Amino acid sequence: GLSVAFVTGQGRSSSRWPVTTPESQGFDSGVLAELLEYVRAKDLPLHTLLVIRRGQLILDASFYPYSPEGPHDVASVTKSITSLLVGIAIDKGLIESVRQPVVSLLPAAVRSAPDEQRQAMTVEHLLTMTSGLDCGFEPGERELAAMRRSDDWPAFALALPMRAAPGTEYAYCSCNNHLLSAILSARTGKSALAFARTHLFDPLGISTASWPADNYGRTHGWGDLHVYPKDLAKIGELYRNGGTWNGRRIVSEAWVQQSTQPHVLVRDGVGYGYSWWINTAREPAIYEAVGR
């Protein structure tokens, strides 16, 4: 049930990672092999494990029934990609800043005169899960399910009751991220997927990506992106390099730094940035894209 290579070919993925031995990057092949045996012995639900060191692929392991030839549903890791696209849109002046009010960016989704708290909700509040909407305070993502049953998803999300003043309370609400996707569509004239193909996926050589949309063509901002693991790793490398890929600027370094700072304390040792999780128990802190 294990497919593993320490130096491997690339399968059918569009990725072209340089490959090298673990030892050349200061790793011990024997210890990595012990890691893989542990995963198999404990029957851990691991699909794929890649280790990339200084841009070099040193470990590529897939566990049955998963293989390098299959794109993965990355679930809420998608939220970090949506955040990245918002950063690119701000870099290009398509969105003024993270402090721009949501109702001003989505006038078509405003069904009635917004109250004072709703008017105060900004892009940054959506990114940091502090929108104040009555969403995500209880487990189960019930608001997301209800939104998906509605006709106009952003209008539904923006009409949710306000539970708190924006910026005052954290609650994990996937509806926030679909509002971000709707903002990208409204400001760029494209779906988030189309915008990503031009400004992120194509420049990084990510040619295989599927990402569904709502009834109005607005990409699911919270999840359902499918990509190859080796292509997803490019996003990590992009951020490790401060927003550049092979010397090409994709997103500003300022956005990378701002995104990966803990803007909100979720619980001890865990912060939340711009749709990135921050492990603050480590020094230095580790930022993570996490899904399901």
Side-chain angles (χ1 to χ4, degrees), residues 22 52 57 97 110 122 153 182 191 217 233 271 273 283 285:
I52 293 161
L57 179 63
S97 76
V110 179
T122 66
W153 296 1
S191 69
E283 181 59 43

Side-chain angles (χ1 to χ4, degrees), residues 107-284:
V110 179
R111 289 177 168 171
S112 59
D115 53 70
E116 188 174 337
Q117 285 189 335
R118 210 174 305 268
Q119 288 179 352
M121 187 195 310
T122 66
V123 171
E124 186 170 49
H125 295 138
L126 299 179
L127 288 164
T128 57
M129 296 293 187
T130 60
S131 66
L133 294 171
D134 192 1
C135 173
F137 287 92
E138 303 294 333
E141 300 238 61
R142 288 178 294 181
E143 297 83 9
L144 174 62
M147 181 185 77
R148 298 189 69 172
R149 292 192 297 268
S150 71
D151 175 62
D152 189 326
W153 296 1
F156 174 92
L158 206 51
L160 284 166
M162 296 297 296
R163 174 162 169 158
T168 62
E169 289 192 51
Y170 168 89
Y172 189 83
C173 171
S174 290
C175 298
N176 291 335
N177 302 85
H178 198 60
L179 286 171
L180 290 170
S181 176
I183 288 169
L184 284 167
S185 292
R187 301 303 293 176
T188 70
K190 302 178 178 180
S191 69
L193 174 58
F195 186 72
R197 288 199 190 282
T198 300
H199 300 290
L200 179 63
F201 293 162
D202 287 352
L204 268 59
I206 299 174
S207 60
T208 301
S210 62
W211 197 357
D214 66 16
N215 292 335
Y216 293 87
R218 293 166 299 216
T219 307
H220 293 184
W222 74 89
D224 300 324
L225 173 65
H226 290 65
V227 291
Y228 290 111
K230 290 193 190 79
D231 284 340
L232 185 62
K234 292 179 177 181
I235 304 298
E237 186 72 358
L238 174 69
Y239 268 57
R240 189 182 75 84
N241 288 318
T244 62
W245 177 259
N246 290 338
R248 176 177 174 178
R249 173 64 60 189
I250 303 297
V251 67
S252 65
E253 185 172 11
W255 182 261
V256 172
Q257 293 177 346
Q258 189 75 355
S259 298
T260 55
Q261 296 300 310
H263 293 266
V264 179
L265 178 65
V266 178
R267 58 184 180 274
D268 286 346
V270 179
Y272 201 73
Y274 287 173
S275 301
W276 290 84
W277 293 91
I278 319 295
N279 182 342
T280 58
R282 298 282 186 166
E283 181 59 43

Side-chain angles (χ1 to χ4, degrees), residues 70-93:
H72 278 45
D73 173 7
V74 300
S76 285
V77 168
T78 305
K79 292 179 171 71
S80 302
I81 310 299
T82 299
S83 166
L84 169 53
L85 297 176
V86 170
I88 294 173
I90 289 175
D91 289 342
K92 296 184 178 300

Side-chain angles (χ1 to χ4, degrees), residues 1-2 35-36 38-40 43-50 59 61-66 72:
L2 173 63
L35 163 65
L36 298 173
Y38 179 87
V39 170
R40 186 161 58 178
D43 196 26
L44 299 182
L46 186 63
H47 299 180
T48 300
L49 176 64
L50 302 171
L59 174 63
S62 296
F63 298 82
Y64 181 82
Y66 299 93
H72 278 45

